Amino acid sequence: GAGVSQSPRYKVAKRGQDVALRCDPISGHVSLFWYQQALGQGPEFLTYFQNEAQLDKSGLPSDRFFAERPEGSVSTLKIQRTQQEDSAVYLCASGGFETQYFGPGTRLLVL
Amino acid sequence: AQSVTQLGSHVSVSEGALVLLRCNYSSSVPPYLFWYVQYPNQGLQLLLKYTTGATLVKGINGFEAEFKKSETSFHLTKPSAHMSDAAEYFCAVKNGGTSYGKLTFGQGTILTVHP
């Protein structure tokens, strides 16, 4: 594909459910980032992958958040036992040294 | 630590008027600076970026920004607003000169364009 794709685009979860969010980066991009964007806020960094290696997970808000990129391409962000405060748009970006290209995001609503 | 401050969470202009969106940053190392635009229910689209070299950078859709180190600013301008410019704009900073860099974003500025 031409750009970064994410699925699902929208997800409604009941509090306590586990969710998995998928990111397909631009083909060949080594770097992959996840960001969380709360309503009315700018995106905030969650985690970074270089190929399959997770080099920075300093932004993950709790141990309920887990991300993986096992083959260095597609990445999954998993949230266990979702809480209402997890409601946000989750953005994935891939890119090179200078520029990150963002996907459309997954809007998560936890009820 | 890096930070970005966008002055004005909402800016309203008339069609054809000058657009000025303000961004100030804090960084302990030479920064790379970016402006992204976000339309409703869409991801972020890169408007322009400053890395090194010329401090006045031109982007897509007629936007430009000037890096002013002495003022730690990177304000976004467009001479004449168009209705299609209505969106939310984010300024972001990353460390320059590193092998990778997470972006630190401002809070965003919503631009409204009146006919």
Side-chain angles (χ1 to χ4, degrees):
Chain A
V4 179
S5 61
Q6 293 186 245
S7 61
R9 291 293 312 277
Y10 303 92
K11 177 69 178 177
V12 178
K14 293 183 179 179
R15 188 163 57 93
Q17 281 185 329
D18 298 349
V19 297
L21 312 180
R22 177 188 170 103
C23 172
D24 283 84
I26 294 172
S27 178
H29 278 187
V30 169
S31 298
L32 186 145
F33 299 80
W34 284 98
Y35 293 84
Q36 180 190 58
Q37 186 177 19
L39 188 64
Q41 304 293 317
E44 293 190 353
F45 170 80
L46 292 177
T47 187
Y48 164 70
F49 289 87
Q50 185 177 80
N51 295 307
E52 69 278 3
Q54 189 175 20
L55 298 186
D56 188 346
K57 54 181 180 180
S58 61
L60 296 177
S62 77
D63 59 7
R64 295 186 296 105
F65 287 72
F66 172 77
E68 61 183 4
R69 194 185 185 198
E71 297 180 355
S73 55
V74 171
S75 177
T76 303
L77 177 66
K78 298 179 179 179
I79 309 174
Q80 297 177 323
R81 305 180 303 280
T82 53
Q83 303 295 315
Q84 286 188 323
E85 60 263 28
D86 300 335
S87 295
V89 175
Y90 291 85
L91 295 166
C92 175
S94 71
F97 173 51
E98 288 186 358
T99 304
Q100 295 176 28
Y101 300 91
F102 283 79
T106 294
R107 185 175 297 273
L108 173 65
L109 177 61
V110 181
L111 301 176
Chain B
Q2 302 165 316
S3 66
V4 174
T5 301
Q6 291 183 239
L7 298 176
S9 58
H10 290 80
V11 170
S12 180
V13 300
S14 299
E15 191 173 20
L18 171 72
V19 175
L20 171 60
L21 305 183
R22 300 179 186 272
C23 172
N24 288 87
Y25 70 91
S26 171
S27 178
S28 58
V29 298
Y32 285 6
L33 295 158
F34 305 81
W35 276 99
Y36 283 87
V37 61
Q38 187 175 37
Y39 297 98
N41 298 317
Q42 295 187 25
L44 300 172
Q45 179 183 8
L46 181 65
L47 275 179
L48 48 79
K49 64 182 179 183
Y50 167 78
T51 54
T52 58
T55 57
L56 180 63
V57 293
K58 297 185 183 299
I60 62 172
N61 302 337
F63 284 94
E64 63 182 36
E66 186 171 11
F67 170 59
K68 293 186 176 181
K69 183 178 180 180
S70 62
E71 298 177 8
T72 61
S73 69
F74 191 57
H75 301 329
L76 181 71
T77 60
K78 182 174 180 177
S80 176
H82 191 273
M83 297 295 290
S84 61
D85 294 328
E88 189 162 17
Y89 293 78
F90 292 93
C91 181
V93 63
K94 73 182 277 286
N95 284 341
T98 56
S99 59
Y100 86 97
K102 59 187 179 185
L103 292 171
T104 299
F105 286 88
Q107 295 296 297
T109 298
I110 296 173
L111 175 65
T112 303
V113 182
H114 296 288

XYZ file of all heavy atoms in Angstrom, chain B residues 2-86:
661
model
N 12.324 17.640 26.040
C 11.801 18.556 25.023
C 10.369 18.927 25.365
O 9.664 18.150 26.022
C 11.790 17.866 23.662
C 13.137 17.365 23.198
C 12.983 16.405 22.043
O 12.125 15.545 22.056
N 13.803 16.568 21.045
N 9.958 20.081 24.886
C 8.556 20.459 25.028
C 8.186 21.399 23.901
O 9.057 22.034 23.288
C 8.292 21.117 26.380
O 8.977 22.351 26.473
N 6.899 21.479 23.642
C 6.370 22.359 22.611
C 5.170 23.089 23.170
O 4.298 22.467 23.803
C 5.957 21.553 21.365
C 5.279 22.455 20.345
C 7.159 20.855 20.748
N 5.102 24.378 22.926
C 3.960 25.183 23.336
C 3.351 25.837 22.112
O 4.042 26.544 21.373
C 4.378 26.273 24.337
O 4.961 25.660 25.485
C 3.169 27.092 24.771
N 2.090 25.577 21.889
C 1.365 26.246 20.815
C 0.454 27.292 21.446
O -0.403 26.944 22.262
C 0.551 25.230 20.004
C 1.426 24.299 19.207
C 0.631 23.338 18.333
O 0.744 22.126 18.469
N -0.189 23.874 17.459
N 0.675 28.526 21.106
C -0.085 29.628 21.685
C -1.410 29.773 20.952
O -1.433 30.058 19.761
C 0.725 30.914 21.604
C 2.034 30.884 22.389
C 2.822 32.154 22.165
C 1.759 30.668 23.868
N -2.475 29.580 21.683
C -3.799 29.676 21.067
C -4.310 28.319 20.665
O -3.823 27.730 19.699
N -5.293 27.816 21.392
C -5.851 26.513 21.032
C -6.828 26.641 19.868
O -7.108 25.651 19.187
C -6.560 25.891 22.232
O -7.581 26.742 22.705
N -7.358 27.847 19.658
C -8.262 28.112 18.547
C -7.852 29.416 17.873
O -7.628 30.426 18.551
C -9.712 28.240 19.021
C -10.307 26.954 19.488
N -10.067 26.438 20.735
C -11.137 26.070 18.876
C -10.712 25.301 20.875
N -11.383 25.051 19.762
N -7.781 29.374 16.540
C -7.516 30.570 15.751
C -8.585 30.655 14.669
O -8.864 29.660 14.002
C -6.110 30.531 15.119
C -5.933 31.657 14.105
C -5.036 30.616 16.198
N -9.158 31.838 14.516
C -10.198 32.042 13.519
C -9.783 33.162 12.576
O -9.370 34.233 13.031
C -11.518 32.397 14.202
O -12.537 32.591 13.252
N -9.867 32.896 11.273
C -9.516 33.909 10.276
C -10.584 33.923 9.192
O -11.341 32.966 9.033
C -8.135 33.636 9.633
C -7.039 33.625 10.679
C -8.147 32.351 8.842
N -10.602 34.999 8.443
C -11.476 35.086 7.281
C -10.764 34.508 6.066
O -9.527 34.551 5.974
C -11.865 36.530 7.009
O -12.578 37.082 8.099
N -11.536 34.005 5.147
C -10.965 33.501 3.899
C -10.199 34.618 3.214
O -10.683 35.749 3.110
C -12.070 32.991 2.982
C -11.571 32.200 1.774
C -12.706 31.568 0.989
O -13.861 32.022 1.115
O -12.443 30.615 0.237
N -8.956 34.303 2.803
C -8.113 35.302 2.167
C -7.197 36.036 3.127
O -6.273 36.726 2.697
N -7.412 35.905 4.405
C -6.574 36.580 5.400
C -5.331 35.765 5.706
O -5.238 34.568 5.418
C -7.375 36.828 6.678
N -4.373 36.437 6.354
C -3.134 35.783 6.778
C -3.424 34.773 7.881
O -4.181 35.045 8.818
C -2.156 36.837 7.287
C -0.888 36.316 7.964
C 0.050 35.699 6.931
C -0.188 37.434 8.721
N -2.771 33.624 7.764
C -2.819 32.627 8.820
C -1.484 32.650 9.571
O -0.416 32.604 8.945
C -3.044 31.210 8.253
C -2.972 30.166 9.365
C -4.385 31.128 7.534
N -1.543 32.749 10.892
C -0.347 32.684 11.732
C -0.634 31.771 12.911
O -1.478 32.092 13.746
C 0.049 34.075 12.225
C 1.156 34.126 13.292
C 2.446 33.513 12.775
C 1.385 35.559 13.764
N 0.055 30.648 12.971
C -0.074 29.717 14.089
C 1.275 29.663 14.799
O 2.298 29.403 14.183
C -0.477 28.323 13.590
C -1.741 28.249 12.735
C -2.056 26.804 12.383
C -2.925 28.893 13.441
N 1.242 29.885 16.102
C 2.481 30.065 16.854
C 2.941 28.790 17.538
O 2.123 28.028 18.083
C 2.299 31.166 17.906
C 1.940 32.521 17.314
C 1.755 33.563 18.393
N 1.275 34.825 17.830
C 2.068 35.769 17.381
N 3.390 35.616 17.417
N 1.559 36.886 16.887
N 4.257 28.588 17.512
C 4.861 27.426 18.139
C 6.190 27.831 18.749
O 7.051 28.396 18.069
C 5.078 26.310 17.112
S 6.028 24.890 17.733
N 6.360 27.531 20.024
C 7.643 27.696 20.687
C 8.085 26.357 21.241
O 7.259 25.574 21.702
C 7.554 28.731 21.809
C 7.433 30.137 21.265
O 6.341 30.614 20.980
N 8.564 30.792 21.082
N 9.353 26.096 21.223
C 9.860 24.798 21.638
C 10.945 24.963 22.688
O 11.522 26.042 22.856
C 10.416 24.028 20.436
C 11.699 24.625 19.915
C 12.931 24.199 20.385
C 11.661 25.670 18.997
C 14.104 24.785 19.945
C 12.823 26.264 18.550
C 14.037 25.820 19.023
O 15.190 26.422 18.599
N 11.215 23.893 23.360
C 12.327 23.817 24.281
C 13.079 22.526 23.978
O 12.473 21.455 23.906
C 11.823 23.814 25.734
O 12.868 23.532 26.627
N 14.387 22.658 23.773
C 15.189 21.488 23.470
C 16.628 21.751 23.898
O 17.158 22.831 23.666
C 15.141 21.171 21.966
O 15.954 20.054 21.658
N 17.255 20.751 24.475
C 18.629 20.897 24.953
C 19.655 20.634 23.853
O 20.832 20.884 24.032
C 18.879 19.962 26.135
O 18.635 18.622 25.744
N 19.187 20.121 22.728
C 20.066 19.848 21.600
C 19.424 20.467 20.361
O 18.239 20.808 20.382
C 20.270 18.327 21.398
C 20.938 17.709 22.608
C 18.947 17.646 21.123
N 20.217 20.636 19.292
C 19.612 21.190 18.074
C 18.397 20.383 17.661
O 18.469 19.165 17.541
C 20.754 21.067 17.053
C 21.992 21.152 17.876
C 21.656 20.428 19.157
N 17.289 21.071 17.458
C 16.042 20.339 17.198
C 15.762 20.127 15.720
O 16.251 20.869 14.870
C 15.001 21.286 17.790
C 15.561 22.643 17.465
C 17.063 22.510 17.598
N 14.968 19.119 15.458
C 14.263 19.039 14.200
C 12.820 19.440 14.511
O 12.269 19.016 15.542
C 14.266 17.622 13.625
C 15.576 17.168 13.021
C 16.738 17.934 13.094
C 15.660 15.952 12.356
C 17.923 17.506 12.535
C 16.850 15.509 11.788
C 17.980 16.286 11.883
O 19.157 15.852 11.329
N 12.217 20.229 13.668
C 10.894 20.781 13.940
C 9.932 20.448 12.807
O 10.330 20.450 11.630
C 10.983 22.296 14.134
C 11.780 22.711 15.370
C 12.284 24.136 15.233
C 10.932 22.562 16.620
N 8.690 20.211 13.160
C 7.701 19.750 12.197
C 6.362 20.441 12.454
O 6.036 20.794 13.590
C 7.464 18.236 12.331
C 8.713 17.401 12.213
C 9.566 17.240 13.303
C 9.034 16.775 11.030
C 10.717 16.479 13.212
C 10.191 16.015 10.916
C 11.029 15.871 12.015
N 5.617 20.612 11.383
C 4.206 20.958 11.477
C 3.416 19.871 10.766
O 3.716 19.510 9.619
C 3.902 22.308 10.832
C 4.141 23.486 11.711
C 5.221 24.307 11.745
C 3.230 23.995 12.712
N 5.062 25.292 12.696
C 3.847 25.121 13.299
C 1.962 23.618 13.156
C 3.244 25.876 14.304
C 1.363 24.351 14.148
C 1.995 25.472 14.715
N 2.400 19.355 11.488
C 1.481 18.384 10.929
C 0.075 18.974 10.935
O -0.278 19.784 11.807
C 1.465 17.103 11.768
C 2.652 16.184 11.574
C 3.822 16.361 12.315
C 2.604 15.121 10.674
C 4.907 15.503 12.152
C 3.682 14.261 10.499
C 4.829 14.469 11.243
O 5.901 13.614 11.082
N -0.748 18.522 10.001
C -2.154 18.911 9.955
C -3.007 17.652 10.122
O -2.640 16.576 9.637
C -2.503 19.646 8.636
C -2.270 18.762 7.420
C -3.954 20.129 8.658
N -4.104 17.809 10.849
C -5.011 16.684 11.065
C -6.430 17.108 10.730
O -6.981 18.001 11.374
C -4.928 16.201 12.512
C -5.711 14.924 12.786
C -5.491 14.415 14.198
O -5.376 15.178 15.145
N -5.412 13.095 14.349
N -7.006 16.455 9.738
C -8.405 16.668 9.390
C -9.258 15.699 10.208
O -8.763 14.658 10.660
C -8.614 16.479 7.893
C -7.853 17.484 7.062
C -6.620 17.164 6.488
C -8.340 18.771 6.876
C -5.908 18.087 5.753
C -7.629 19.704 6.135
C -6.408 19.360 5.587
O -5.691 20.288 4.854
N -10.514 16.010 10.415
C -11.362 15.166 11.263
C -11.316 13.694 10.864
O -11.417 13.355 9.677
C -12.756 15.763 11.051
C -12.495 17.194 10.737
C -11.232 17.203 9.925
N -11.125 12.863 11.865
C -11.115 11.408 11.700
C -10.022 10.917 10.747
O -10.171 9.860 10.112
C -12.485 10.907 11.219
C -13.570 11.213 12.224
O -13.386 11.040 13.415
N -14.699 11.697 11.737
N -8.969 11.696 10.660
C -7.837 11.272 9.847
C -6.547 11.328 10.657
O -6.514 11.901 11.746
C -7.706 12.153 8.599
C -8.870 12.041 7.638
C -8.615 12.791 6.347
O -7.478 13.005 5.943
N -9.694 13.195 5.680
N -5.516 10.715 10.113
C -4.218 10.769 10.763
C -3.534 12.094 10.510
O -4.119 13.030 9.976
N -2.301 12.179 10.906
C -1.514 13.399 10.757
C -0.811 13.411 9.404
O -0.218 12.423 8.996
C -0.463 13.475 11.864
C -0.998 13.488 13.295
C 0.144 13.372 14.275
C -1.780 14.754 13.544
N -0.877 14.560 8.756
C -0.203 14.733 7.470
C 0.905 15.761 7.630
O 0.672 16.846 8.169
C -1.208 15.191 6.414
C -0.588 15.415 5.037
C -1.597 15.928 4.022
O -2.735 16.259 4.357
N -1.180 16.010 2.765
N 2.087 15.432 7.178
C 3.209 16.354 7.311
C 3.032 17.553 6.386
O 2.831 17.404 5.184
C 4.514 15.640 6.963
C 5.788 16.476 7.074
C 6.040 16.876 8.524
C 6.974 15.706 6.507
N 3.111 18.756 6.974
C 3.046 19.988 6.199
C 4.434 20.442 5.773
O 4.665 20.807 4.628
C 2.434 21.113 7.030
C 0.933 21.257 7.099
C 0.570 22.427 7.997
C 0.336 21.464 5.710
N 5.347 20.460 6.750
C 6.707 20.899 6.466
C 7.602 20.511 7.635
O 7.107 20.147 8.713
C 6.774 22.413 6.225
C 6.082 23.340 7.208
C 6.898 23.536 8.472
C 5.809 24.698 6.565
N 8.908 20.613 7.407
C 9.862 20.264 8.452
C 11.120 21.115 8.313
O 11.490 21.558 7.220
C 10.234 18.783 8.365
C 10.956 18.409 7.078
C 11.256 16.910 7.031
C 11.954 16.543 5.716
N 12.184 15.087 5.612
N 11.751 21.356 9.461
C 13.063 21.971 9.492
C 14.030 20.967 10.120
O 13.771 20.455 11.220
C 13.072 23.256 10.330
C 14.474 23.720 10.626
C 15.228 24.382 9.656
C 15.089 23.424 11.845
C 16.531 24.766 9.907
C 16.395 23.807 12.104
C 17.109 24.466 11.126
O 18.410 24.832 11.372
N 15.138 20.716 9.421
C 16.177 19.859 9.986
C 17.474 20.651 10.120
O 17.902 20.977 11.213
C 16.394 18.599 9.136
O 16.658 18.976 7.780
C 15.141 17.735 9.158
N 18.079 20.978 9.015
C 19.260 21.833 9.022
C 19.195 22.728 7.799
O 18.352 22.543 6.917
C 20.570 21.017 8.963
O 20.548 20.219 7.776
C 20.731 20.125 10.167
N 20.088 23.721 7.744
C 20.154 24.547 6.545
C 19.231 25.752 6.622
O 19.095 26.388 7.668
N 18.598 26.043 5.533
C 17.756 27.231 5.418
C 16.692 27.260 6.500
O 15.998 26.260 6.730
C 17.105 27.273 4.041
N 16.595 28.408 7.154
C 15.683 28.505 8.292
C 14.249 28.778 7.874
O 13.337 28.594 8.676
C 16.150 29.609 9.249
O 16.238 30.843 8.515
C 17.497 29.269 9.847
N 14.042 29.223 6.643
C 12.687 29.410 6.133
C 12.354 28.189 5.277
O 13.010 27.944 4.259
C 12.585 30.688 5.310
C 11.209 30.996 4.718
C 10.183 31.224 5.828
C 11.281 32.214 3.799
N 11.367 27.454 5.712
C 11.014 26.237 4.987
C 9.611 26.360 4.413
O 8.716 26.918 5.051
C 11.126 24.986 5.871
C 12.566 24.726 6.241
C 10.288 25.109 7.128
N 9.469 25.845 3.223
C 8.176 25.878 2.546
C 7.592 24.471 2.527
O 8.316 23.486 2.378
C 8.338 26.417 1.132
C 8.831 27.858 1.083
C 8.871 28.384 -0.329
C 9.439 29.805 -0.378
N 8.601 30.751 0.397
N 6.277 24.428 2.705
C 5.619 23.143 2.729
C 4.515 23.038 1.697
O 4.454 23.820 0.751
N 3.640 22.099 1.955
C 2.534 21.890 1.017
C 1.426 22.898 1.268
O 1.371 23.526 2.327
C 1.985 20.460 1.129
C 1.429 20.197 2.532
C 3.063 19.452 0.772
C 0.691 18.873 2.655
N 0.574 23.054 0.279
C -0.625 23.895 0.389
C -0.324 25.356 0.693
O -1.153 26.053 1.275
C -1.590 23.345 1.460
C -2.027 21.920 1.166
O -1.987 21.475 0.022
N -2.435 21.212 2.187
N 0.856 25.826 0.327
C 1.193 27.230 0.485
C 1.664 27.638 1.871
O 1.848 28.830 2.132
N 1.858 26.705 2.766
C 2.323 27.020 4.111
C 3.847 27.143 4.151
O 4.556 26.514 3.382
C 1.889 25.929 5.092
C 0.439 25.996 5.467
C -0.506 25.249 4.780
C 0.021 26.808 6.518
C -1.846 25.317 5.114
C -1.317 26.868 6.867
C -2.249 26.126 6.165
N 4.312 27.952 5.062
C 5.733 28.043 5.326
C 5.965 28.331 6.810
O 5.050 28.743 7.519
C 6.416 29.105 4.458
C 5.951 30.507 4.667
C 6.667 31.480 3.726
O 6.943 31.109 2.561
O 6.946 32.600 4.154
N 7.193 28.082 7.265
C 7.532 28.329 8.665
C 8.988 28.755 8.731
O 9.807 28.370 7.896
C 7.305 27.086 9.503
N 9.305 29.550 9.732
C 10.669 30.033 9.911
C 11.203 29.609 11.259
O 10.582 29.873 12.300
C 10.745 31.548 9.774
C 12.179 32.071 9.805
C 12.274 33.541 9.459
O 11.233 34.211 9.390
O 13.413 34.008 9.262
N 12.353 28.950 11.246
C 13.035 28.562 12.469
C 13.833 29.751 12.978
O 14.705 30.270 12.274
C 13.968 27.380 12.200
C 14.902 27.045 13.318
C 14.411 26.710 14.574
C 16.283 27.042 13.115
C 15.268 26.383 15.608
C 17.144 26.722 14.151
C 16.641 26.382 15.399
N 13.519 30.200 14.182
C 14.252 31.292 14.815
C 14.847 30.774 16.105
O 14.160 30.686 17.136
C 13.345 32.494 15.066
C 12.869 33.174 13.786
C 12.098 34.452 14.101
C 11.720 35.169 12.814
N 10.975 36.435 13.074
N 16.120 30.471 16.059
C 16.781 29.876 17.213
C 16.776 30.818 18.406
O 16.547 30.389 19.546
C 18.218 29.498 16.852
C 19.001 28.810 17.949
C 20.387 28.441 17.494
C 21.180 27.759 18.602
N 22.561 27.400 18.134
N 17.010 32.106 18.156
C 17.097 33.071 19.260
C 15.771 33.221 19.993
O 15.743 33.562 21.172
C 17.548 34.426 18.730
O 16.607 34.935 17.805
N 14.684 32.946 19.292
C 13.367 33.059 19.895
C 12.776 31.685 20.229
O 11.648 31.607 20.734
C 12.412 33.799 18.943
C 12.858 35.219 18.642
C 11.941 35.923 17.643
O 10.885 35.358 17.299
O 12.300 37.016 17.194
N 13.510 30.632 19.934
C 13.030 29.233 20.073
C 11.618 29.104 19.513
O 10.711 28.567 20.168
C 13.097 28.736 21.533
O 12.264 29.557 22.376
C 14.511 28.751 22.041
N 11.451 29.616 18.290
C 10.118 29.595 17.689
C 10.149 28.937 16.316
O 11.191 28.874 15.651
C 9.555 31.008 17.575
O 10.276 31.765 16.604
N 8.979 28.480 15.905
C 8.810 27.867 14.588
C 7.360 28.113 14.180
O 6.555 27.210 14.073
C 9.136 26.372 14.656
C 9.252 25.683 13.325
C 10.147 26.122 12.366
C 8.469 24.569 13.039
C 10.272 25.477 11.138
C 8.578 23.907 11.814
C 9.475 24.367 10.867
N 7.031 29.362 13.945
C 5.649 29.750 13.638
C 5.272 29.375 12.208
O 6.088 29.517 11.277
C 5.455 31.245 13.838
C 5.763 31.721 15.230
N 5.587 30.934 16.351
C 6.227 32.930 15.668
C 5.928 31.615 17.427
N 6.336 32.821 17.045
N 4.033 28.980 12.024
C 3.514 28.565 10.724
C 2.691 29.698 10.130
O 1.852 30.282 10.821
C 2.635 27.325 10.893
C 2.018 26.720 9.632
C 3.089 26.052 8.765
C 0.934 25.700 9.995
N 2.918 29.988 8.851
C 2.162 31.056 8.198
C 1.671 30.628 6.825
O 2.228 29.714 6.205
C 3.008 32.336 8.039
O 4.160 32.034 7.227
C 3.464 32.878 9.385
N 0.623 31.314 6.401
C 0.120 31.187 5.040
C -0.464 32.533 4.661
O -1.264 33.092 5.434
C -0.935 30.084 4.916
C -1.453 29.899 3.497
C -2.390 28.704 3.388
C -2.880 28.562 1.943
N -3.752 27.361 1.772
N -0.072 33.087 3.532
C -0.489 34.465 3.202
C -1.994 34.637 3.058
O -2.540 35.667 3.443
C 0.220 34.735 1.871
C 1.345 33.757 1.808
C 0.868 32.550 2.548
N -2.662 33.623 2.529
C -4.081 33.775 2.226
C -4.813 32.481 2.563
O -4.604 31.453 1.916
C -4.257 34.120 0.743
O -5.624 34.195 0.402
N -5.671 32.544 3.560
C -6.380 31.353 4.017
C -7.440 30.913 3.020
O -8.121 31.737 2.385
C -7.025 31.623 5.369
N -7.592 29.598 2.937
C -8.629 28.990 2.108
C -9.527 28.169 3.010
O -9.081 27.663 4.051
C -7.969 28.104 1.030
C -8.907 27.641 -0.028
N -9.663 26.506 0.084
C -9.209 28.185 -1.235
C -10.401 26.364 -1.002
N -10.141 27.364 -1.814
N -10.762 28.026 2.592
C -11.709 27.254 3.416
C -11.180 25.848 3.711
O -11.403 25.311 4.800
C -13.067 27.160 2.711
C -13.760 28.489 2.505
S -14.211 29.280 4.052
C -15.523 28.186 4.582
N -10.468 25.272 2.766
C -9.963 23.907 2.948
C -8.833 23.818 3.976
O -8.402 22.713 4.316
C -9.478 23.352 1.606
O -8.422 24.139 1.100
N -8.348 24.969 4.456
C -7.297 24.954 5.481
C -7.849 24.683 6.879
O -7.083 24.485 7.823
C -6.549 26.292 5.497
C -5.772 26.542 4.217
O -5.289 25.569 3.593
O -5.667 27.725 3.813
N -9.148 24.710 7.026
C -9.763 24.462 8.327
C -9.435 23.049 8.788
O -9.776 22.065 8.127
C -11.262 24.653 8.236
